[in-house]
Amino acid sequence: MTVRLPRHAVRTQDPGTAAVRPRSRRRRTALYAASLLCCSAVLATLPGGASAAPGSAPAPGPAALSFEDDFDGPAGAAVDGSKWQLETGDNVNNHERQFYTGGNDNAALDGQGNLVITARKENPGDYRCWYGTCEYTSARLNTAGRFAAAYGHVEARIKVPRGQGMWPAFWMLGDDFGNVGWPQSGEIDVMENVGFEPGTVHGTLHGPGYSGAEGVGAGYTLPNGAVFADDFHTFAVDWAPDSITWSVDGNVFQRRTPADLGGNEWVFNKPFFLILNLAVGGSWPGDPDGSTVFPAQLVVDYVRVTANG
């Protein structure tokens, strides 16, 4: 789908940057900046003929930790600015309802080794969204300009929120997005969840010829009716040249190679940066309703990237 500039661009806290998000029925937003861009996670249905690959996640070989944030610090403190930047603004293309704020208003440490991204039904700053006065606030963080890497084991231990309209995600975007645009940059969705599927998460690839609703991916559902919001779970990809494998709590649920792309270009042999966010509403999850409880929290225990030796 064509990248469009929304009426209200999402902005980072770095001066001179602005964001743009393209979207289809199941697309999140893309971040356009003068020197770096960032695009949100996208879910699409599993293409015909593709299949998930259950099993045990491969143990990484000799590895060197290349990125780690355990979110240690006093309660209420902002995230480490040398590792993360916060984006601010709304998103017309996704039809999300929140306004992403900066600082520690909606993203802060809890003093117990966690990052808490909080979505609230409020508008203390009289923020304006694509639909008028914003109804919700939340936060979105990325490592663009601070950390990007190719290959290795990418992992986060996360407890997702519950409720209709919640849309948490942990994902990656090609570090060359500012030069080549989306979907040529590629996108790796490590995990995303929508509130109406409390027991299922999704992993998806997006690139030229397989973006938006044509993305290549699969879902993972917890056994015995369990839901992800009840506990922390570990979401990971093991990433090698021409191969990406997804797992939840060490259980592999899909592996993708260039052979899965129907002759389209594999754009995942280059550095990507990391993104965490909690959206409220949007074309895929739908809006919150009377059953949705606020504040809602996405709790992140850690994020780690190891490069295989």
Side-chain angles (χ1 to χ4, degrees):
M1 185 172 178
T2 302
V3 173
R4 303 183 308 239
L5 179 66
R7 183 178 60 190
H8 303 288
V10 178
R11 300 187 180 277
T12 70
Q13 289 189 303
D14 285 356
T17 62
V20 175
R21 285 190 156 198
R23 172 165 175 85
S24 70
R25 180 172 59 91
R26 290 184 173 181
R27 289 237 23 230
R28 303 177 68 91
T29 59
L31 185 67
Y32 175 83
S35 61
L36 57 92
L37 298 92
C38 139
C39 169
S40 282
V42 180
L43 171 85
T45 56
L46 186 65
S51 62
S56 297
L65 191 65
S66 57
F67 179 92
E68 180 178 29
D69 200 335
D70 291 322
F71 302 109
D72 292 325
V79 293
D80 185 343
S82 70
K83 297 178 179 179
W84 303 93
Q85 63 173 331
L86 287 111
E87 306 161 29
T88 63
D90 72 337
N91 174 26
V92 60
N93 288 323
N94 272 355
H95 294 115
E96 297 168 13
R97 295 287 175 173
Q98 83 291 324
F99 186 95
Y100 288 122
T101 67
N104 59 355
D105 290 343
N106 293 82
L109 309 184
D110 67 358
Q112 301 178 41
N114 301 306
L115 163 66
V116 180
I117 298 177
T118 303
R120 297 184 174 93
K121 190 174 184 179
E122 64 171 14
N123 187 351
D126 194 28
Y127 304 120
R128 303 295 295 177
C129 287
W130 59 270
Y131 56 89
T133 302
C134 302
E135 299 172 353
Y136 308 92
T137 61
S138 189
R140 191 174 73 193
L141 303 80
N142 71 65
T143 66
R146 292 150 171 80
F147 171 79
Y151 314 132
H153 182 81
V154 181
E155 175 178 302
R157 186 171 183 263
I158 296 172
K159 184 177 181 181
V160 304
R162 69 180 76 241
Q164 169 58 34
M166 294 297 100
W167 191 1
F170 172 47
W171 51 278
M172 298 186 286
L173 183 68
D175 201 42
D176 60 353
F177 189 89
N179 296 321
V180 303
W182 190 95
Q184 186 65 39
S185 63
E187 183 175 306
I188 303 170
D189 302 334
V190 181
M191 178 283 294
E192 58 183 343
N193 166 259
V194 287
F196 63 79
E197 293 182 327
T200 300
V201 294
H202 301 265
T204 312
L205 292 181
H206 297 268
Y210 50 102
S211 60
E214 302 302 317
V216 177
Y220 176 86
T221 299
L222 289 171
N224 304 317
V227 301
F228 279 97
D230 284 342
D231 204 349
F232 284 91
H233 294 272
T234 302
F235 306 100
V237 294
D238 284 279
W239 177 20
D242 295 335
S243 173
I244 301 175
T245 301
W246 285 254
S247 63
V248 175
D249 298 328
N251 300 305
V252 168
F253 68 96
Q254 71 169 330
R255 179 177 181 268
R256 299 294 173 179
T257 71
D260 293 306
L261 304 185
N264 291 307
E265 183 183 3
W266 177 270
V267 290
F268 306 103
N269 292 339
K270 61 186 178 184
F272 278 61
F273 60 87
L274 310 173
I275 308 98
L276 286 164
N277 73 288
L278 174 56
V280 180
S283 301
W284 177 24
D287 290 340
D289 61 21
S291 70
T292 310
V293 177
F294 288 94
Q297 295 184 329
L298 173 66
V299 185
V300 186
D301 180 17
Y302 63 78
V303 176
R304 295 172 189 157
V305 180
T306 55
N308 292 345

